[in-house]
């Protein structure tokens, strides 16, 4: 997904409104197409458009022509189970288009040690398999965003077969996936810190790196925050002025490697790819490719999450 415009939380008095809404727990990653979202929100007024709010696929921007329409939709849908979406709970805020967009700033310290194997991280539930696929299997075709969202495409069948045999101490069922997100990262572009929404996905998360390498950083915050605090930009996940104290680990993801996150690694640690053009790994300087593609495979959750990490879980938020 590529977002050409950047939206932030509306600042000012509580009485101010905007024709744009930031909607969390909503998007292709949770099985809702932009067309479905536009149809639902269109009941409150003419929708100008629906776009991705970030790379997660589970947060969108809904833009109306009139602020009154956005106000009606927020009042009717925010924090209430939506029958038309199978009872899904939407979290909605007003947002405005930045006039002078600035890239998300995430504090970094390049002195952090970068591991090449997952066992060095000391994080329960994280595994990395090098050369999970062959160089021939790595050659992928373009993805048509207008394709019907149905069964997973046939070209990922070999990947699914290998995932089914993936060593997982939790259970074999944790390796079952039914949702695929494909992201393309241009040269130097990374990923903001986030935890994949608990209420949207269950079981393990698998991420296959293609075309180019990168470093992934994992962060565990003392206080888990699913939605940004009121004083922060609405589209910056995991980074607030009150969360400067956290545990950091980093791992190098070469092309064709498969990373799996389960248990604590999946539910309690933010994952983040720094916005770098070069990475330092073991004293070596590694230049990122002109593009990197990731295949993220997950299983859509059909009920609330009852994980062992309530401070990071949106299902436990009131």
């Amino acid at each position: 997904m590529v977002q050409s415009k950047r939206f932030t939380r509306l600042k000012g008095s509580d009485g101010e409104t905007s024709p744009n809404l930031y909607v969390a727990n909503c998007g292709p990653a949770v099985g809702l197409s932009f067309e479905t979202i536009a149809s639902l929100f269109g009941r409150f007024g003419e929708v100008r458009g629906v776009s991705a709010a970030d790379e997660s696929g589970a947060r969108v921007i809904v833009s109306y022509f009139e602020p009154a329409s956005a106000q009606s939709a927020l009042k009717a849908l925010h924090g209430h189970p939506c029958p038309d979406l199978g009872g899904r709970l939407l979290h909605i805020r007003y947002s405005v288009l930045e006039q002078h967009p600035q890239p998300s700033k995430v504090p970094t310290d390049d002195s952090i040690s970068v591991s090449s194997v997952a066992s060095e991280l000391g994080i329960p539930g994280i595994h990395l398999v090098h050369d999970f696929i062959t160089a021939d299997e790595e050659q992928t075709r373009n993805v048509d965003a207008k394709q019907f969202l149905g069964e997973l495409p046939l070209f990922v069948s070999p990947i699914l077969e290998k995932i089914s045999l993936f060593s997982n101490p939790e259970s074999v069922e944790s390796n079952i996936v039914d949702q695929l997100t494909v992201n393309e990262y241009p040269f130097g572009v990374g990923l903001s810190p986030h935890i994949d929404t608990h209420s949207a996905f269950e079981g393990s998360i698998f991420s296959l790196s293609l075309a180019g390498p990168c470093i992934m950083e994992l962060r565990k915050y003392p206080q888990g925050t699913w939605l940004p605090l009121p004083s922060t930009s609405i589209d910056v996940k995991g980074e607030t002025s009150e969360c400067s104290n956290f545990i950091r680990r980093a791992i190098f993801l070469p092309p064709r490697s498969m990373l799996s996150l389960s248990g604590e690694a999946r539910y309690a640690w933010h994952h983040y790819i720094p916005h770098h053009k070069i990475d330092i790994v073991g004293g070596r300087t590694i230049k990122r490719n002109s593009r990197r593609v990731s295949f993220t495979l997950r299983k859509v959750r059909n009920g609330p999450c009852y994980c062992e990490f309530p401070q990071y879980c949106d299902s436990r938020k009131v």
Side-chain angles (χ1 to χ4, degrees):
M1 298 177 191
V2 178
Q3 182 187 4
S4 59
K5 297 181 180 180
R6 178 179 169 85
F7 288 80
T8 62
R9 180 180 181 274
L10 180 62
K11 298 179 175 62
S13 67
D14 293 338
E16 289 191 63
T17 62
S18 163
N20 307 305
L21 296 176
Y22 173 96
V23 186
N25 200 20
C26 183
V30 296
L32 300 176
S33 68
F34 288 169
E35 291 78 10
T36 298
I37 298 168
S39 176
L40 171 64
F41 281 82
R43 300 176 186 177
F44 304 94
E46 187 176 359
V47 174
R48 182 189 297 270
V50 178
S51 60
D54 52 41
E55 310 94 335
S56 71
R59 289 169 278 269
V60 300
I61 298 295
V62 177
S63 297
Y64 286 99
F65 284 94
E66 299 295 336
S69 301
Q71 186 177 26
S72 298
L74 187 149
K75 183 177 180 181
L77 299 176
H78 171 59
H80 304 298
C82 183
D84 296 312
L85 300 180
R88 179 172 297 279
L89 220 65
L90 302 182
H91 300 268
I92 307 175
R93 298 288 186 272
Y94 288 119
S95 63
V96 292
L97 181 64
E98 284 188 342
Q99 298 300 315
H100 303 285
Q102 297 294 329
S104 301
K105 295 183 178 180
V106 179
T108 58
D109 178 2
D110 291 335
S111 65
I112 185 173
S113 176
V114 178
S115 301
S116 58
V117 294
S119 59
E120 296 176 351
L121 299 176
I123 302 176
I126 185 169
H127 302 276
L128 180 67
V129 177
H130 290 247
D131 295 315
F132 187 79
I133 61 172
T134 67
D136 289 338
E137 291 173 326
E138 183 181 20
Q139 302 304 313
T140 61
R141 58 187 176 85
N142 290 332
V143 176
D144 183 357
K146 296 181 180 179
Q147 282 184 331
F148 172 72
L149 295 178
E151 297 294 326
L152 293 178
L154 292 178
F155 69 84
V156 299
S157 295
I159 300 173
L160 299 179
E161 292 177 5
K162 292 181 180 181
I163 284 179
S164 68
L165 302 175
F166 208 93
S167 176
N168 192 321
E170 291 185 342
S171 67
V172 175
E173 287 75 16
S174 296
N175 294 345
I176 298 175
V177 298
D178 58 13
Q179 192 267 348
L180 168 65
T181 299
V182 180
N183 283 319
E184 181 177 17
Y185 301 91
F187 179 50
V189 174
L191 179 69
S192 298
H194 71 284
I195 297 176
D196 285 27
T197 308
H198 289 206
S199 65
F201 306 105
E202 63 176 295
S204 300
I205 293 173
F206 300 89
S207 179
L208 180 64
S209 295
L210 304 172
C214 73
I215 285 176
M216 175 175 283
E217 186 173 314
L218 295 109
R219 298 180 171 190
K220 189 174 184 181
Y221 294 87
Q223 298 295 327
T225 52
W226 178 60
L227 290 175
L229 295 181
S231 61
T232 65
S233 170
I234 197 67
D235 60 352
V236 177
K237 303 174 289 301
E239 289 295 321
T240 73
S241 60
E242 298 182 20
C243 288
S244 59
N245 179 30
F246 51 84
I247 304 171
R248 301 173 63 201
R249 300 287 187 270
I251 189 167
F252 178 62
L253 304 180
R256 301 185 296 281
S257 65
M258 175 68 84
L259 181 77
S260 81
L261 302 175
S262 62
E264 180 180 325
R266 180 266 184 270
Y267 291 111
W269 288 74
H270 288 65
H271 50 278
Y272 154 56
I273 299 176
H275 302 272
H276 289 170
K277 293 184 177 180
I278 61 171
D279 294 310
I280 307 299
V281 181
R284 295 184 299 130
T285 299
I286 299 178
K287 183 179 180 180
R288 294 195 185 174
N289 287 17
S290 58
R291 64 192 284 263
R292 174 180 176 266
V293 176
S294 70
F295 280 20
T296 302
L297 295 118
R298 297 168 285 206
K299 179 174 175 57
V300 176
R301 186 185 295 278
N302 294 315
C305 176
Y306 298 104
C307 67
E308 299 176 2
F309 308 94
Q311 69 270 38
Y312 303 97
C313 185
D314 62 294
S315 288
R316 317 295 177 85
K317 303 295 182 181
V318 179

